[in-house]
Amino acid sequence: MHYLRKPGWAIPEREATPEAVFMRRRTFLAGSLGAIAGGLLGLRGPVQAAEPEDPTRDLYPAPRNPAFTLDRPLTDENVAASYNNFYEFGPMKTVAWLAQRLKIRPWQVRVEGLVRKPKTFDIDELIRAMPLEERLYRFRCVEAWAMAVPWTGFPFAALVKKVEPLSDARYVKFTTFLDRTVALGQLRFWYPWPYVEGLTMAEAMNELTLLVTGVYGHPLPKQHGAPLRLIVPWKYGFKSIKSIVAIEFTRERPKTFWETLVPHEYGFWANVNPAFAHPRWSQAEERMLGTDEVRPTLIFNGYGEWVAGLYPDLNDRRYFM
Ligand code: MTE
């Protein structure tokens, strides 16, 4: 994981990544070989025939929900769209061009597990059935960069009404697509693909929890996790899983992608808190993408009013990593 420009407290860029915990040299080699192979095979740019116009484009821009305001300017759209984490396509920030390989129609999302009415939704059917709205949210990556983004989506709670979870559902597990022919990063066999994330039911049902289909007033670009991603703005960005294919209601806590890889650095809870440093860097400040403005990190990324009650002990480190 990288910084645009290193603040004084940052450790060298090459060490600031979970990737680095594992086989740094192998990663580099695999990345280089992948890039060479990609070049040889002419993979720069979309491999499929051009995607048809997004069938839901007419739904944008969606009405803005005035309940969510910002204390900082919006991040420039082009900056947000060209500095991404999407490990399925590689560990570098410049994955946007590789992410164009993802085919986002047809796309289905399975909603399953401990629910009365499990259902596989066609993505366009789902998006059209949901109350789309725009929300301005702060976004805080665990790597200490941040942005402010107008997401479009619908509350997770609106989906819940459609499937009716059973009373023994305690967690929600989210899963990203798995396709090694498209996502070259998934050839890195030492990662526990597919990418999985999880929330408690109370977190998932919180008013802030958004299933996102668009950004900056139009459908989501692929590098941001089209056609459907999660946004949980009070948690570090790795919880906001991209390109979801399955949502499962479970009794047991799901084991997440990063928790499986580096449990002592990237836990299940991952709530933003300036007081608890990451084992390898401070979380006291954050750097805004695009402007490099350094700001103090806010507890729960400034969303304590909505979520502080979910975590009984604010001194419990477990909740903040
Ligand atoms: N989801 C998937 N499937 N794969 C990923 O690598 N990276 C996470 C999160 N969701 C990631 C993912 C991390 S670490 C961050 S910070 C955000 O996506 C980045 O979102 P953005 O690229 O839209 O800014």
Side-chain angles (χ1 to χ4, degrees), residues 108-142:
Q108 296 188 320
V109 182
R110 303 190 315 270
V111 187
E112 58 195 10
L114 300 173
V115 288
R116 203 159 285 118
K117 299 180 178 167
K119 184 169 160 72
T120 298
F121 290 91
D122 169 72
I123 189 66
D124 297 314
E125 173 202 356
L126 178 65
I127 295 174
R128 289 204 179 272
M130 290 292 145
L132 290 195
E133 58 176 84
E134 183 177 71
R135 295 187 183 185
L136 311 183
Y137 273 172
R138 290 177 287 276
F139 182 97
R140 173 59 155 80
C141 179
V142 71

Side-chain angles (χ1 to χ4, degrees), residues 64-236:
R64 182 173 292 179
N65 184 334
F68 304 100
T69 52
L70 290 174
D71 54 351
R72 57 195 74 184
L74 279 179
T75 300
D76 180 89
E77 176 173 2
N78 293 322
V79 171
S82 53
Y83 189 84
N84 303 98
N85 277 329
F86 206 164
Y87 278 73
E88 283 79 350
F89 295 97
M92 56 291 178
K93 298 295 187 244
T94 50
V95 285
W97 67 277
L98 280 165
Q100 303 315 308
R101 293 170 54 76
L102 184 61
K103 199 163 179 293
I104 54 171
R105 293 295 187 288
W107 190 278
Q108 296 188 320
V109 182
R110 303 190 315 270
V111 187
E112 58 195 10
L114 300 173
V115 288
R116 203 159 285 118
K117 299 180 178 167
K119 184 169 160 72
T120 298
F121 290 91
D122 169 72
I123 189 66
D124 297 314
E125 173 202 356
L126 178 65
I127 295 174
R128 289 204 179 272
M130 290 292 145
L132 290 195
E133 58 176 84
E134 183 177 71
R135 295 187 183 185
L136 311 183
Y137 273 172
R138 290 177 287 276
F139 182 97
R140 173 59 155 80
C141 179
V142 71
E143 300 158 335
W145 55 264
M147 55 184 183
V149 176
W151 302 110
T152 303
F154 55 89
F156 182 84
L159 175 66
V160 159
K161 283 195 198 137
K162 296 246 171 227
V163 295
E164 301 177 18
L166 302 172
S167 58
D168 48 352
R170 294 172 56 212
Y171 295 93
V172 188
K173 174 184 174 186
F174 300 85
T175 307
T176 295
F177 73 90
L178 178 63
D179 185 348
R180 293 190 172 87
T181 66
V182 166
L184 302 182
Q186 291 181 333
L187 294 170
R188 295 180 155 89
F189 59 84
W190 54 95
Y191 285 99
W193 307 112
Y195 199 105
V196 164
E197 259 307 334
L199 297 174
T200 64
M201 274 298 281
E203 291 175 329
M205 294 300 288
N206 188 274
E207 192 189 341
L208 291 176
T209 303
L210 208 59
L211 282 167
V212 163
T213 60
V215 70
Y216 294 96
H218 52 69
L220 211 52
K222 295 177 182 183
Q223 64 269 29
H224 276 307
L228 185 74
R229 75 174 299 176
L230 182 70
I231 288 290
V232 274
W234 72 98
K235 291 177 177 283
Y236 291 120

